[in-house]
Every structure is written in structure tokens, then in C-alpha cells.
Amino acid sequence: MVLDTNSTVPIYIQIAEWIENEILEGQLKVDDKVYSQYKLADMFTINPATAAKGLNLLYEENVLYNKRGLGKFVSQDAMAIILEKRKNQKLKGLLEEAVLEAARLQVNDEELVEMLLQLIKTNKGE
Amino acid sequence: MNVIECKDLVKNYGGANALDHLSVFIKENTITGLIGRNGAGKTTLLKIIAGFWKATSGEVKVFNRQPFNNLIVSANSIFVDDMMDFTSALTIKELLDEAKTFYPNWDHDLAEGLLNYFEFNPNQSHQSLSKGKKSTYNMIIGLASKCALTIFDEPTTGMDAAVRKDFYRALLKDYIQSPRTIIISSHHLDEVEDLLEDVLLIHDGKTLLHLSIEELKEYAVKISGRTALVMQYLDNKEVIYKEEINSETCSVIVRNNFPHESVKRLGITVSSVKPSDLCVYLTSQSKGGIDDVFSKRESV
Amino acid sequence: MSLANVNLSNIVIKQYRYKMKSFIGVFLALMVIQVFGILISMLGASSSGFSNGFFFINVTSYTANVVIAFTMIWAFTNAIIVTTKSYREDDFTFISNRLSYNLSNILFLITACVIGAITAFLSRGVIYILVFFVNDLETFLTVNQEVNMADYLIGVLATILIVLLAGAAGYVVGMLFQLNKLLIFILPVFVFGLDFIRTSNESTLQRIFEFYFTEQVFTIFVVKTIMTILLGFGLAALLTNRMEVRR
């Protein structure tokens, strides 16, 4: 993966999201050791402190746990925590954007909900 | 631990203050980007830190010592720029052997590996190298010396894009292998920002900002929308830069110290500001930028 | 990363060795100037002729004085060149402080001057041999007393001291130029001005020369020159100890 350095998303969050994706895709399983800050720094050509910040973010969210002197590992509930977080943050954020844009375009509530339902239907392959 | 401590540093140079009561502390084992406009005092600061120049007043400590004329500081620091002088009597290969005898932590394998990788003719003299090659060679000396304090002053002058990329990668890999304090001054914050832990922005010989790169990324935001709406909202905001587009809509850079949700709800867009742009905004003389010059002329 | 510890003498020796390699041109210049000096010396320093009607005798004496004088000029200019910016920057690219820079310069100059003085002294022999082969001479006399080893060494030592004196003078002058470029114009005016300041019928400049070169007692000459050389180098080192580098 290549980081999007022009993105508005800070690099350490991109690093955290990349590790989350590794977990979601099953590349990293429960109790697997996660890359060290130095390994990540080398992989993405970023400062190790930035990589450490990404790792710490996941540690604080209990996605990762610490083994002293050994590094960080994927926690039991990692998958669930990530899914919950993404639901709450990313999805909610996207929906919020949609609501704001709808207001700007003077799309009323019923119309918006209708559009959403339509999208869900198409996605299910109808 | 702080490797560098500057307090109230003043350097008078040609009748003006190149450094004007500058204070800064730089932590051990960090990569700091020194950013500033031309003439902001970047090189002056670095040369005082390296012990080449003496401060007019104020205090400077490197490794807890006065750097000027200090052999310990000299042995543990290296200053790399495009003006580095090497004797023309020796080849660039022989110069590496000389550097090896001087620097206690010298990494000869790294030096020879890089010399090879960048396809130098080892029998050339330093004088006969092109501008870009000189910079590349100096960078090799800077990395291989493995000094506890490594200073790069505009290290990529004359390098092409591919070499610059290789240089940044080499710098980072070497830093991971042997952590040390690195200061890199550059006009291209865009290119180096991922490597940096901290950014030191100086302007008119003073420290303007000294933050981690992540803090800098979140230091300010751009709010844009209908002019009337934005202007009304600006009342209690710390404005950094006004980027007026026209009388209908405008965008303004403000400190990022307010919740974005409420603003967004008003129909104002909030977007992030690239660190390199932010540095330009922060150091621009007038709050209107280059456009001001032209709009004033039009109104006359 | 723990700090590397270095000591002054260690760095001075490293800088000295670096200089011996990088200032190779200095020795090339020495060779050129001494060959030139030898050629001029072959013309003869003084010559006189007399005749008694049957024989015409022409006596020409040859010395290495011209070579030694040339070597002094070389030592003087060489010392000035060593103080210039481009040579100084070479030092401050690697580990250095002003003291180690001055000490390694002085060591280098002493080495160069000793080599220059010894070759200049030995050139006398070269001149004799060349004159012997080139000229069709009837008689070749070396008017030396018993060549006594001690005298020979005194000759070498005196040559070394004279050349070093020129080197030290060049070093002080060079460093003064580095401190203030205006001195490049002021200093020559000052020196030639000394020629006009007369207390007796000798100018001050003349008296300064006589102070060193007409000294009859060798040990006093040695003391005078060594003191002057040390004073010169010390002064130069002191003057430049606060100099800013890599401007």
C-alpha cells in the first residue's frame, strides 16, 4: 500500500487504518504480532514516531495489546472493535456529509431516505 | 534529553539581526525539519549550532557545551551543505578513507555502497562533480559519518527527483538503524514531511512554531463558503490568512481550535491545510498574499 | 547515541596527515623553484679575473645562496596560501577547532620548511657537480676547511631556521589578511614604510634584517630565530582563535 500524503487524513491515522484493514482482511489474526514502529517506518518511508503514534492509537482503542519488550499484538476483540468504530465514525461521517449536502441541494428528508433505500437495493443486485 | 538548547539567540550580521532573540530546544534522536523563507535565518542558526559562527548574544548549548570552537561538538556533529570543501588532490574514493580516519562512528560499508549505487566514478575529484552529484556525495559523507548530530542544510540542491527520493529513503533507513538527532532544512516541506517528527518554523530570525508534524497538520483549517457567512463567523476566530476569491465566496485560513460540526451545519466547508501551505501562509508578510499586490494596483 | 570522545593531539595528527596528502602541490612548487635556483646559481655568484701575462685566471665562486633565498620566498608564499579560505574550509569539513587547525598547519609548515631547507642546503653539492660537468674547467677547487660534521650540521640547522623564519612570517601575514582584507594593502605599505624610518643612517627594515642575519654567535642566532618563529606562530593562532569559518 502507498500512503496518500496529500490526503487530509493524518499519516498516523492512515497507518492505523492500514493495520485495521490487515486485521479485517485476515492478514493479521488474533494474537499475531503487529509490525514494529521501525518496520512500519521502513515500509512506508515515514518517521518512526509517526508510525508509533498509529500503533498507540490502536492500543488505546484496545485493538492491540502490549507484551513488554516484545511489541504489540492483535487483541481478542480487535475485529469487533474495528467494525464498531468504523460503523460509528466513518459511516456516520459519510451519512452526515450526505445529510448536509442534501440540505444544500434542498433535497427533503423523504427524498433522501428514498435515495438511500434505492442504493441499498441496487447494491444487493436487483 | 535536549541535544540543542538555544535561549535568546541573537546574531548580528551585516548590521541586521539574522537571528533575533531566537529560542529553541531540540530533543535527542528526532528528525526535525527546519523551515523558513529565504533570509529567515535558517543557515545562520545551523552554523551557530555547528560551532562555525559565534552568537552575538544569547545562549547556545549543543550536547550541553558551547559549540563554538569546541572539539567534542565538532567530533559529534557534521554540517552538510552544497558548499562543503574537499581537497582536489584526492579522489572522492580517497576522501572517504580520510573521513573514515576522522569520524569514530564512520560506516564505511554504507559510504561505499552509496557511492556505488549512485554510480560515481571513484577516481573523480570532488571539484569535477556536477552540482547535483556534489550534493549527493556530501549527503553520503553526512550519513556515513553517523554523527550524533547530523545537520543537512538544503541537502537536495541540484539533485533530480529520483535522487531526492532515494536520499530521503536512505536517510530514513539509516536513522532507523542508528537513531540520532537530525536537522534538515528544506524548501520542500512537501517532500520531507513524512520523514519528520518535528517541524521548526522560523521567520525573521525568530521561532514561529515548533510542533510535531501531526500537530502542524491539525494546526489550522481552511473555511470557505459564502463571503457574508464566513466573515460573520470570523469574528471570534484567529485568522492566519485570507484567501479572497471574490465578493460572493471566500476562503480563510484560521486556527483549528473550534468544533467543526457546528460550522459545517451553517453550510461552510472546513478542509485541512497542507503543512507546506500553512508555513507559507504563516510567513507571508501581509495577510492577503501576492494577490493583494495586484488588487491594490487595480484599485489605483 | 553516546558522544564520541576525542582529544586534541589525536585530531591534530589526523589533520596533519590529511594535509600532507592534500597539499602535494606545495612540494611540486618547491622542486620547480629549486631547480630554477640551481640553474641561476650555475651562472656563478661572483667572478674575478687576473692575468700575469702568461696565464689568465678567472675565478668564479658558486654558492647555494640563491636556492636558499628562493626557498625562503617559497616558504613565505606557501604559508600565506595555507591560510587562505579554501584551504581552511577543507579542515572544517571534517572534525576541527581553530586550535587543531592552527597546530596542524604549523606542523605541516615545519615539515615543509625542513624538507625545503635541507634540499636547498644539499643543492650546493648539485651545483658543484653540474658546474664541473657543464663548464670546461681547468681547476675545480672547493675552498672548504676540513669539512667537519658539526659545521655541516650547523649549516643545515641555520638554513632550516632561516626558511622557517620566512614560513612563520608568511603565516602571520596570511592570517592577518584573513582577519581583515584591507591589510593586504596596508601591510606592504607599512613594511616599506619601515624602510624610510631612519634613526641612524640605516633604515629600520635594514636593522631588522641585521638583527637576524649578521648575528655572529650561532647560539644567539638560534635563540633569536626560534623565539621569533614561536612568537609568530603563537600570534597567528591567537589572532584566529575566534575566527568564524565556513562563511
Side-chain angles (χ1 to χ4, degrees), chain B:
Chain B
M1 198 195 101
N2 288 325
V3 166
I4 297 167
E5 300 189 350
C6 300
K7 279 183 214 144
D8 254 339
L9 208 54
V10 173
K11 176 64 180 176
N12 196 285
Y13 191 53
N17 278 349
L19 294 182
D20 188 11
H21 300 279
L22 179 141
S23 299
V24 72
F25 299 86
I26 290 179
K27 288 195 303 278
E28 193 183 19
N29 296 344
T30 53
I31 307 183
T32 303
L34 177 59
I35 310 295
R37 293 267 168 121
N38 289 332
K42 299 191 295 278
T43 299
T44 308
L45 175 63
L46 295 177
K47 290 204 168 169
I48 290 176
I49 289 171
F52 296 147
W53 298 0
K54 47 181 188 286
T56 308
S57 70
E59 193 186 299
V60 55
K61 288 253 176 85
V62 177
F63 308 121
N64 255 323
R65 294 167 170 86
Q66 308 257 13
F68 187 75
N69 225 0
N70 190 311
L71 207 57
I72 301 278
V73 171
S74 178
N76 289 285
S77 62
I78 188 158
F79 183 97
V80 177
D81 65 357
D82 61 340
M83 304 288 279
M84 273 177 120
D85 234 319
F86 297 94
T87 175
S88 50
L90 298 177
T91 67
I92 52 173
K93 174 77 183 55
E94 289 167 330
L95 284 172
L96 292 186
D97 297 329
E98 284 305 313
K100 181 184 172 184
T101 66
F102 276 96
Y103 290 101
N105 298 328
W106 180 260
D107 185 343
H108 208 58
D109 288 341
L110 176 69
E112 287 192 321
L114 288 173
L115 202 70
N116 222 350
Y117 175 82
F118 288 109
E119 293 172 336
F120 279 91
N121 169 5
N123 297 321
Q124 263 190 297
S125 76
H126 190 263
Q127 272 72 9
S128 66
L129 297 174
S130 71
K131 201 173 165 63
K133 278 275 182 184
K134 255 184 203 160
S135 293
T136 311
Y137 184 81
N138 299 353
M139 170 270 280
I140 294 174
I141 297 271
L143 287 181
S145 65
K146 301 226 163 177
C147 288
L149 172 61
T150 306
I151 298 171
F152 291 104
D153 190 15
E154 297 288 345
T156 56
T157 311
M159 288 184 191
D160 63 40
V163 176
R164 284 213 296 272
K165 216 171 153 223
D166 280 339
F167 165 60
Y168 296 135
R169 181 107 186 109
L171 176 74
L172 186 83
K173 284 189 90 85
D174 195 47
Y175 170 75
I176 292 170
Q177 219 175 66
S178 347
R180 51 199 194 264
T181 311
I182 297 176
I183 304 178
I184 173 164
S185 90
S186 178
H187 285 305
H188 309 280
L189 179 57
D190 272 339
E191 284 183 9
V192 293
E193 62 173 79
D194 292 343
L195 301 179
L196 305 178
E197 183 166 343
D198 292 328
V199 172
L200 171 61
L201 175 65
I202 67 172
H203 188 55
D204 289 341
K206 292 187 190 69
T207 300
L208 208 59
L209 282 181
H210 188 200
L211 299 171
S212 78
I213 185 76
E214 302 300 344
E215 285 169 310
L216 187 67
K217 279 188 172 174
E218 289 166 12
Y219 185 81
V221 287
K222 181 164 158 172
I223 56 177
S224 37
R226 298 218 341 270
T227 308
L229 204 59
V230 172
M231 287 303 165
Q232 180 193 353
Y233 188 72
L234 283 181
D235 274 353
N236 52 352
K237 290 280 166 294
E238 207 177 311
V239 176
I240 293 168
Y241 188 82
K242 281 181 189 163
E243 202 181 51
E244 199 164 307
I245 299 169
N246 56 44
S247 52
E248 281 296 304
T249 60
C250 76
S251 52
V252 179
I253 315 294
V254 293
R255 268 304 298 275
N256 180 18
N257 49 10
F258 57 92
H260 298 173
E261 306 310 320
S262 55
V263 189
K264 280 183 180 166
R265 240 164 260 143
L266 289 174
I268 295 174
T269 326
V270 181
S271 52
S272 67
V273 181
K274 269 172 36 181
S276 56
D277 289 340
L278 177 63
C279 288
V280 172
Y281 296 144
L282 283 167
T283 56
S284 72
Q285 302 304 333
S286 65
K287 294 215 153 131
I290 190 77
D291 284 351
D292 254 16
V293 179
F294 292 93
S295 59
K296 265 178 203 145
R297 277 196 347 177
E298 280 156 18
S299 63
V300 166

Side-chain angles (χ1 to χ4, degrees), chain C residues 16 20 23 37 45 49 55 59 78 96 137 155 172 180 185 221 236 240:
Chain C
Y16 169 73
M20 289 300 282
F23 295 0
F55 300 105
V59 181
N78 166 28
S96 181
L137 295 176
V172 176
N180 193 335
F185 305 103
F221 166 79
T240 53

Side-chain angles (χ1 to χ4, degrees), chain A residues 60-82:
Chain A
E60 280 161 18
E61 291 172 355
N62 294 323
V63 173
L64 305 179
Y65 67 92
N66 243 342
K67 266 192 201 166
R68 274 200 108 155
L70 291 174
K72 293 200 161 55
F73 295 79
V74 178
S75 69
Q76 204 73 44
D77 315 321
M79 189 80 95
I81 295 169
I82 297 166

